[in-house]
Amino acid sequence: MPVIVLEASDFTSPLFLVRTWEVLSGCITFSLVASLETPKDLSDLHSTFRIFCMFIWCFFFTLTLLIHILSIIQFHSLIPVSWKNLTMTTAVLGALMGLSASVVFAWMVMHHGGRLTHTVAAAVASCITFLAYSSETYVLRTQAHEQRGYMGSNPGLLKILQLWGGCNMIPLVMEVVHSQGSASGLPEVLSWQLWVSTAFYGVCVLMSLVTVVVILGDLAGRCFLPFDKFLAAFSMIGVLLYMVATVICFTKILQLKELGNRAPPGVTELIIMETVVASITLLAYTVDLAFSIKLLCDRSHA
């Protein structure tokens, strides 16, 4: 199959320009942060969050660069994935994860009093990367529904939001576990609450990954049950699990409030962030469940 390169006019299209912007800003961001990996700069920052932010920038830089190259040489038709769903998922998830990385990195810098020039530049570059992915999301959303795919619809965006919530829980739980292991002032009851929440988050992340992989691989027709019923069941399970996890988060906040000044430093902030992310994800699962129920009812009456 011959390789077809874009015409000259395509190199000035909004989609081409915004993906070039993503690649450049992503490369600048993780390059600046990599230059801070010295004991003099940010050695006292949470290692889990640093790795989390660096992984986000490097992963989406690599994925966007591959998508950009495949779009230029028109080679994406040979890849056994749904291209329109892949590009939409990358843009939306890249914007959400870029927002998380920008907020977390800025929080680390302010929390530890970092005011270095490279540090501020890296935080600004991360925000610019987030704006780049948000711009691509807007460009893709302005296309026709057939070009956006399922992930460009409201239920698809909600599933990306659910995956974002689960991915953010990974470093948060790891930091809470680390803080709990190094602090002696935490009540023992937080231990079982932490592991129950972790198990629930893990199940929901696995369900979100399975859903996204099935959609990107166009594997819905191979399921032994109608895929819309699977989605409704996953949404119901997600609502129940995140409802319990959110209640546990609020319970932990009240328990830490009772400790007052005896609460270990930093743990309360982590629990609050976990509560916010859990609440947003719970809302996404609830709205997605409503969409799934409406779809099943419409098909049953058709």
Side-chain angles (χ1 to χ4, degrees), residues 222-289:
R222 300 184 182 181
C223 297
F224 59 90
L225 287 178
F227 190 59
D228 53 354
K229 293 184 179 180
F230 270 115
L231 296 180
F234 283 173
S235 298
M236 176 65 74
I237 295 174
V239 168
L240 295 177
L241 295 184
Y242 264 97
M243 189 179 299
V244 176
T246 304
V247 172
I248 291 177
C249 288
F250 281 106
T251 303
K252 289 189 288 187
I253 291 177
L254 294 177
Q255 292 172 344
L256 291 174
K257 186 177 180 181
E258 292 178 356
L259 292 176
N261 296 330
R262 295 184 291 113
V267 175
T268 304
E269 296 176 355
L270 294 173
I271 299 299
I272 291 176
M273 286 191 288
E274 179 186 354
T275 305
V276 172
V277 175
S279 301
I280 295 175
T281 311
L282 173 61
L283 180 61
Y285 273 107
T286 304
V287 178
D288 190 26
L289 178 61

Coordinates of all heavy atoms in Angstrom, one line a residue, residues 222-289:
R222 N -18.2 -8.8 19.5 CA -17.7 -10.1 19.9 C -18.1 -10.5 21.3 O -17.8 -11.6 21.8 CB -16.2 -10.2 19.8 CG -15.6 -9.9 18.4 CD -14.1 -10.1 18.3 NE -13.6 -9.7 17.0 CZ -12.3 -9.8 16.6 NH1 -11.4 -10.2 17.5 NH2 -12.0 -9.5 15.4
C223 N -18.8 -9.6 22.0 CA -19.2 -10.0 23.4 C -20.4 -11.0 23.3 O -21.2 -10.9 22.4 CB -19.7 -8.7 24.1 SG -18.3 -7.5 24.4
F224 N -20.4 -11.9 24.3 CA -21.5 -12.9 24.3 C -22.8 -12.3 24.8 O -23.8 -13.0 24.7 CB -21.0 -14.1 25.1 CG -20.7 -13.8 26.6 CD1 -21.7 -13.8 27.5 CD2 -19.4 -13.4 27.0 CE1 -21.4 -13.5 28.9 CE2 -19.1 -13.1 28.3 CZ -20.1 -13.1 29.2
L225 N -22.8 -11.1 25.3 CA -24.0 -10.4 25.7 C -24.0 -9.0 25.0 O -22.9 -8.6 24.7 CB -24.1 -10.3 27.2 CG -24.5 -11.5 28.0 CD1 -24.5 -11.2 29.5 CD2 -25.8 -12.1 27.6
P226 N -25.1 -8.4 24.8 CA -25.1 -7.1 24.2 C -24.2 -6.1 25.0 O -24.3 -6.1 26.3 CB -26.6 -6.6 24.3 CG -27.4 -7.9 24.3 CD -26.5 -8.9 25.0
F227 N -23.4 -5.4 24.3 CA -22.4 -4.5 25.0 C -23.1 -3.4 25.8 O -22.5 -3.0 26.8 CB -21.5 -4.0 23.9 CG -20.3 -3.3 24.5 CD1 -19.4 -4.0 25.3 CD2 -20.0 -1.9 24.3 CE1 -18.3 -3.3 25.9 CE2 -18.9 -1.3 24.8 CZ -18.1 -2.0 25.6
D228 N -24.2 -2.9 25.4 CA -24.9 -1.9 26.2 C -25.3 -2.4 27.5 O -25.3 -1.6 28.5 CB -26.1 -1.3 25.4 CG -27.0 -2.4 24.9 OD1 -26.7 -3.6 25.1 OD2 -28.1 -2.1 24.4
K229 N -25.6 -3.7 27.7 CA -25.9 -4.2 29.0 C -24.7 -4.3 29.8 O -24.8 -4.1 31.1 CB -26.6 -5.6 28.8 CG -28.0 -5.5 28.1 CD -28.7 -6.9 28.1 CE -30.0 -6.8 27.4 NZ -30.7 -8.1 27.4
F230 N -23.6 -4.7 29.2 CA -22.3 -4.7 29.9 C -22.0 -3.3 30.5 O -21.6 -3.1 31.6 CB -21.2 -5.1 29.0 CG -20.9 -6.6 29.1 CD1 -21.1 -7.4 27.9 CD2 -20.5 -7.3 30.2 CE1 -20.9 -8.7 27.9 CE2 -20.3 -8.6 30.2 CZ -20.5 -9.4 29.1
L231 N -22.2 -2.3 29.6 CA -21.9 -0.9 30.1 C -22.8 -0.5 31.2 O -22.4 0.2 32.2 CB -22.1 0.1 28.9 CG -21.1 -0.1 27.7 CD1 -21.4 0.9 26.6 CD2 -19.7 0.0 28.2
A232 N -24.1 -0.9 31.1 CA -25.0 -0.5 32.2 C -24.6 -1.2 33.5 O -24.7 -0.6 34.6 CB -26.4 -0.9 31.8
A233 N -24.2 -2.5 33.4 CA -23.8 -3.2 34.6 C -22.5 -2.6 35.2 O -22.4 -2.5 36.4 CB -23.5 -4.7 34.3
F234 N -21.5 -2.3 34.3 CA -20.3 -1.6 34.8 C -20.6 -0.3 35.5 O -20.0 0.0 36.5 CB -19.3 -1.4 33.7 CG -18.6 -2.6 33.2 CD1 -17.8 -2.6 32.1 CD2 -18.7 -3.8 33.9 CE1 -17.1 -3.8 31.7 CE2 -18.1 -5.0 33.6 CZ -17.3 -5.0 32.4
S235 N -21.5 0.5 34.9 CA -21.9 1.8 35.5 C -22.6 1.6 36.9 O -22.3 2.3 37.8 CB -22.8 2.5 34.6 OG -22.2 2.8 33.4
M236 N -23.4 0.6 37.0 CA -24.1 0.3 38.3 C -23.1 -0.1 39.3 O -23.1 0.4 40.5 CB -25.1 -0.8 38.1 CG -25.8 -1.3 39.4 SD -26.8 0.0 40.2 CE -28.2 0.0 39.0
I237 N -22.1 -1.0 39.0 CA -21.1 -1.4 39.9 C -20.2 -0.2 40.3 O -19.9 -0.1 41.5 CB -20.2 -2.5 39.3 CG1 -21.1 -3.8 39.1 CG2 -19.0 -2.9 40.2 CD1 -20.3 -4.9 38.3
G238 N -19.9 0.6 39.3 CA -19.1 1.8 39.6 C -19.8 2.8 40.6 O -19.1 3.3 41.5
V239 N -21.1 2.9 40.4 CA -21.8 3.8 41.3 C -21.8 3.3 42.7 O -21.6 4.0 43.7 CB -23.3 4.0 40.8 CG1 -24.1 4.6 41.9 CG2 -23.3 4.8 39.5
L240 N -22.0 2.0 42.9 CA -22.1 1.4 44.2 C -20.7 1.5 44.9 O -20.6 1.8 46.1 CB -22.6 -0.1 44.1 CG -24.0 -0.3 43.6 CD1 -24.3 -1.8 43.5 CD2 -25.0 0.4 44.5
L241 N -19.7 1.1 44.1 CA -18.3 1.1 44.7 C -17.8 2.5 45.1 O -17.3 2.7 46.2 CB -17.3 0.4 43.8 CG -17.6 -1.1 43.5 CD1 -16.5 -1.7 42.6 CD2 -17.7 -1.9 44.8
Y242 N -18.0 3.4 44.2 CA -17.6 4.8 44.5 C -18.4 5.5 45.5 O -18.0 6.4 46.2 CB -17.5 5.6 43.2 CG -16.2 5.6 42.6 CD1 -15.8 4.8 41.5 CD2 -15.2 6.5 43.0 CE1 -14.6 4.8 40.9 CE2 -13.9 6.5 42.5 CZ -13.6 5.6 41.4 OH -12.4 5.6 40.9
M243 N -19.7 5.0 45.6 CA -20.5 5.6 46.7 C -20.0 5.2 48.1 O -19.8 6.0 49.0 CB -22.0 5.1 46.6 CG -23.0 5.8 47.5 SD -24.6 5.1 47.2 CE -24.9 5.6 45.5
V244 N -19.6 3.9 48.2 CA -19.0 3.5 49.4 C -17.6 4.1 49.7 O -17.3 4.6 50.8 CB -18.8 1.9 49.4 CG1 -18.1 1.5 50.7 CG2 -20.2 1.3 49.3
A245 N -16.8 4.2 48.6 CA -15.5 4.9 48.7 C -15.6 6.3 49.1 O -14.8 6.8 49.9 CB -14.7 4.7 47.4
T246 N -16.6 7.0 48.6 CA -16.8 8.4 48.9 C -17.2 8.6 50.4 O -16.7 9.5 51.1 CB -17.8 9.1 48.0 OG1 -17.4 8.9 46.6 CG2 -17.9 10.6 48.3
V247 N -18.1 7.8 50.8 CA -18.5 7.8 52.2 C -17.3 7.5 53.1 O -17.1 8.2 54.2 CB -19.6 6.8 52.5 CG1 -19.9 6.7 54.0 CG2 -20.9 7.2 51.8
I248 N -16.5 6.6 52.8 CA -15.3 6.3 53.5 C -14.3 7.5 53.6 O -13.7 7.8 54.6 CB -14.5 5.1 53.0 CG1 -15.4 3.8 53.2 CG2 -13.1 4.9 53.6 CD1 -14.8 2.5 52.6
C249 N -14.2 8.2 52.4 CA -13.4 9.4 52.4 C -13.8 10.5 53.4 O -13.0 11.1 54.1 CB -13.3 10.0 51.0 SG -12.4 9.0 49.8
F250 N -15.1 10.7 53.4 CA -15.7 11.7 54.3 C -15.5 11.3 55.7 O -15.3 12.1 56.6 CB -17.2 12.0 54.0 CG -17.4 12.9 52.8 CD1 -17.8 12.4 51.6 CD2 -17.1 14.3 52.9 CE1 -18.0 13.3 50.5 CE2 -17.3 15.1 51.8 CZ -17.8 14.6 50.6
T251 N -15.6 10.0 56.0 CA -15.4 9.5 57.3 C -14.0 9.7 57.8 O -13.7 10.1 58.9 CB -15.7 8.0 57.4 OG1 -17.1 7.8 56.9 CG2 -15.6 7.4 58.8
K252 N -13.0 9.5 56.9 CA -11.6 9.7 57.2 C -11.3 11.2 57.5 O -10.5 11.5 58.4 CB -10.7 9.2 56.1 CG -10.7 7.7 56.0 CD -9.6 7.2 55.0 CE -10.0 7.5 53.6 NZ -9.1 6.8 52.6
I253 N -12.0 12.1 56.8 CA -11.8 13.5 57.0 C -12.3 13.8 58.4 O -11.6 14.6 59.2 CB -12.6 14.3 56.0 CG1 -11.9 14.2 54.6 CG2 -12.6 15.8 56.4 CD1 -12.6 14.9 53.5
L254 N -13.4 13.3 58.8 CA -14.0 13.6 60.2 C -13.0 13.0 61.2 O -12.8 13.6 62.3 CB -15.4 13.0 60.3 CG -16.5 13.6 59.4 CD1 -17.8 12.9 59.6 CD2 -16.6 15.1 59.7
Q255 N -12.5 11.8 61.0 CA -11.6 11.2 62.0 C -10.3 12.0 62.1 O -9.8 12.2 63.2 CB -11.3 9.8 61.5 CG -12.5 8.8 61.7 CD -12.2 7.5 61.0 OE1 -11.2 7.3 60.3 NE2 -13.0 6.5 61.4
L256 N -9.8 12.5 61.0 CA -8.6 13.3 61.0 C -8.9 14.7 61.7 O -8.0 15.3 62.4 CB -8.0 13.6 59.6 CG -7.4 12.3 58.9 CD1 -7.0 12.6 57.5 CD2 -6.2 11.8 59.7
K257 N -10.1 15.2 61.5 CA -10.5 16.5 62.2 C -10.5 16.3 63.7 O -10.2 17.2 64.4 CB -11.8 16.9 61.6 CG -12.3 18.3 62.1 CD -13.6 18.7 61.5 CE -14.0 20.1 62.0 NZ -15.3 20.5 61.4
E258 N -10.9 15.1 64.2 CA -10.9 14.9 65.6 C -9.5 14.9 66.2 O -9.3 15.2 67.4 CB -11.6 13.6 65.9 CG -13.1 13.6 65.6 CD -13.8 12.2 65.8 OE1 -13.0 11.3 66.2 OE2 -15.0 12.1 65.7
L259 N -8.5 14.5 65.4 CA -7.2 14.4 65.8 C -6.6 15.8 66.0 O -5.7 16.0 66.9 CB -6.3 13.7 64.9 CG -6.5 12.1 64.8 CD1 -5.6 11.5 63.7 CD2 -6.3 11.5 66.1
G260 N -7.1 16.8 65.2 CA -6.6 18.2 65.4 C -5.2 18.3 65.0 O -4.7 17.9 64.0
N261 N -4.4 18.9 65.9 CA -3.0 19.1 65.7 C -2.2 17.9 65.7 O -1.0 17.8 65.3 CB -2.4 20.1 66.7 CG -3.0 21.5 66.5 OD1 -3.4 21.9 65.5 ND2 -3.1 22.2 67.7
R262 N -2.8 16.8 66.2 CA -2.0 15.5 66.3 C -2.1 14.8 64.9 O -1.4 13.8 64.8 CB -2.7 14.6 67.3 CG -2.5 15.2 68.8 CD -3.0 14.2 69.8 NE -4.5 14.1 69.7 CZ -5.1 13.0 69.4 NH1 -4.4 11.9 69.0 NH2 -6.4 13.0 69.4
A263 N -2.8 15.3 64.0 CA -2.9 14.6 62.6 C -1.6 14.8 61.9 O -1.0 15.9 62.0 CB -4.0 15.2 61.8
P264 N -1.0 13.8 61.3 CA 0.3 13.9 60.6 C 0.2 15.0 59.5 O -0.9 15.1 58.8 CB 0.5 12.5 60.0 CG -0.3 11.6 60.8 CD -1.5 12.4 61.2
P265 N 1.2 15.8 59.2 CA 1.2 16.8 58.2 C 1.1 16.2 56.8 O 1.7 15.2 56.5 CB 2.5 17.6 58.4 CG 3.4 16.6 59.1 CD 2.5 15.8 60.0
G266 N 0.2 16.8 56.0 CA 0.1 16.3 54.6 C -1.0 15.3 54.4 O -1.5 15.2 53.3
V267 N -1.3 14.5 55.4 CA -2.3 13.4 55.2 C -3.7 14.0 55.0 O -4.4 13.5 54.1 CB -2.3 12.5 56.5 CG1 -3.4 11.4 56.3 CG2 -0.9 11.8 56.6
T268 N -4.0 15.0 55.7 CA -5.4 15.6 55.5 C -5.5 16.2 54.1 O -6.6 16.0 53.5 CB -5.6 16.8 56.5 OG1 -5.4 16.3 57.8 CG2 -7.0 17.4 56.4
E269 N -4.5 16.8 53.5 CA -4.6 17.3 52.2 C -4.7 16.2 51.2 O -5.5 16.3 50.2 CB -3.3 18.1 51.8 CG -3.1 19.3 52.7 CD -1.8 20.0 52.4 OE1 -1.0 19.5 51.6 OE2 -1.6 21.1 52.9
L270 N -4.0 15.0 51.4 CA -4.2 13.9 50.5 C -5.6 13.3 50.6 O -6.2 13.0 49.5 CB -3.2 12.8 50.9 CG -1.7 13.2 50.7 CD1 -0.8 12.1 51.2 CD2 -1.4 13.4 49.2
I271 N -6.2 13.2 51.8 CA -7.5 12.7 51.9 C -8.5 13.6 51.2 O -9.5 13.2 50.6 CB -7.9 12.5 53.4 CG1 -6.9 11.5 54.0 CG2 -9.3 12.0 53.5 CD1 -6.9 10.1 53.4
I272 N -8.3 14.9 51.4 CA -9.2 15.9 50.7 C -9.2 15.7 49.2 O -10.2 15.7 48.5 CB -8.9 17.3 51.1 CG1 -9.3 17.5 52.6 CG2 -9.7 18.3 50.3 CD1 -8.9 18.9 53.2
M273 N -8.0 15.6 48.6 CA -7.8 15.4 47.2 C -8.5 14.1 46.8 O -9.2 14.0 45.7 CB -6.4 15.4 46.8 CG -5.7 16.8 46.8 SD -4.1 16.8 46.1 CE -3.1 15.9 47.3
E274 N -8.3 13.0 47.6 CA -9.0 11.8 47.2 C -10.5 11.9 47.3 O -11.2 11.3 46.4 CB -8.5 10.7 48.2 CG -9.1 9.3 48.0 CD -8.8 8.3 49.1 OE1 -8.0 8.7 50.0 OE2 -9.4 7.2 49.1
T275 N -11.0 12.7 48.2 CA -12.4 12.9 48.3 C -13.0 13.6 47.1 O -14.0 13.3 46.6 CB -12.8 13.6 49.6 OG1 -12.2 12.9 50.7 CG2 -14.3 13.7 49.8
V276 N -12.3 14.6 46.7 CA -12.7 15.4 45.5 C -12.7 14.6 44.3 O -13.7 14.6 43.5 CB -11.8 16.7 45.3 CG1 -12.1 17.4 44.0 CG2 -11.9 17.6 46.5
V277 N -11.7 13.8 44.0 CA -11.6 13.0 42.8 C -12.7 11.9 42.9 O -13.3 11.6 41.9 CB -10.2 12.4 42.7 CG1 -10.2 11.4 41.5 CG2 -9.2 13.4 42.5
A278 N -12.9 11.3 44.1 CA -13.9 10.2 44.2 C -15.3 10.8 44.0 O -16.1 10.1 43.3 CB -13.8 9.6 45.6
S279 N -15.6 12.0 44.4 CA -16.9 12.6 44.2 C -17.1 12.9 42.8 O -18.2 12.7 42.2 CB -17.0 13.9 45.0 OG -16.8 13.6 46.4
I280 N -16.1 13.4 42.1 CA -16.3 13.7 40.6 C -16.5 12.4 39.9 O -17.3 12.3 39.0 CB -15.0 14.4 40.1 CG1 -14.9 15.8 40.7 CG2 -15.1 14.6 38.6 CD1 -13.6 16.6 40.4
T281 N -15.7 11.4 40.2 CA -15.9 10.1 39.5 C -17.2 9.5 39.8 O -17.8 8.8 38.9 CB -14.7 9.1 39.9 OG1 -13.5 9.8 39.8 CG2 -14.7 7.9 39.0
L282 N -17.7 9.6 41.0 CA -19.0 9.1 41.4 C -20.1 9.8 40.6 O -21.0 9.1 40.1 CB -19.3 9.3 42.9 CG -20.7 8.9 43.4 CD1 -21.0 7.5 43.1 CD2 -20.8 9.3 44.9
L283 N -20.0 11.1 40.4 CA -20.9 11.8 39.6 C -20.9 11.3 38.1 O -21.9 11.2 37.5 CB -20.6 13.3 39.6 CG -21.5 14.2 38.8 CD1 -22.9 14.1 39.3 CD2 -21.0 15.7 38.9
A284 N -19.7 11.1 37.6 CA -19.5 10.6 36.2 C -20.2 9.2 36.1 O -20.9 9.0 35.1 CB -18.1 10.5 35.8
Y285 N -20.0 8.3 37.0 CA -20.6 7.0 37.0 C -22.2 7.1 37.1 O -22.9 6.4 36.4 CB -20.1 6.1 38.1 CG -18.9 5.3 37.7 CD1 -17.6 5.7 38.3 CD2 -18.9 4.3 36.9 CE1 -16.5 5.0 37.9 CE2 -17.8 3.6 36.5 CZ -16.6 3.9 37.1 OH -15.4 3.2 36.7
T286 N -22.7 8.0 37.9 CA -24.1 8.2 38.1 C -24.8 8.7 36.8 O -25.8 8.2 36.4 CB -24.4 9.2 39.2 OG1 -23.7 8.7 40.4 CG2 -25.9 9.3 39.5
V287 N -24.2 9.7 36.2 CA -24.7 10.2 34.9 C -24.6 9.2 33.8 O -25.5 9.0 33.0 CB -24.0 11.6 34.5 CG1 -24.5 12.1 33.2 CG2 -24.2 12.6 35.6
D288 N -23.5 8.5 33.8 CA -23.3 7.4 32.8 C -24.4 6.3 32.9 O -24.9 5.8 32.0 CB -21.9 6.8 32.9 CG -21.6 5.9 31.7 OD1 -22.2 6.1 30.6 OD2 -20.8 5.0 31.8
L289 N -24.7 6.0 34.2 CA -25.7 5.0 34.5 C -27.1 5.5 34.0 O -27.9 4.7 33.4 CB -25.8 4.7 36.0 CG -26.9 3.7 36.4 CD1 -26.7 2.3 35.8 CD2 -26.9 3.6 37.9

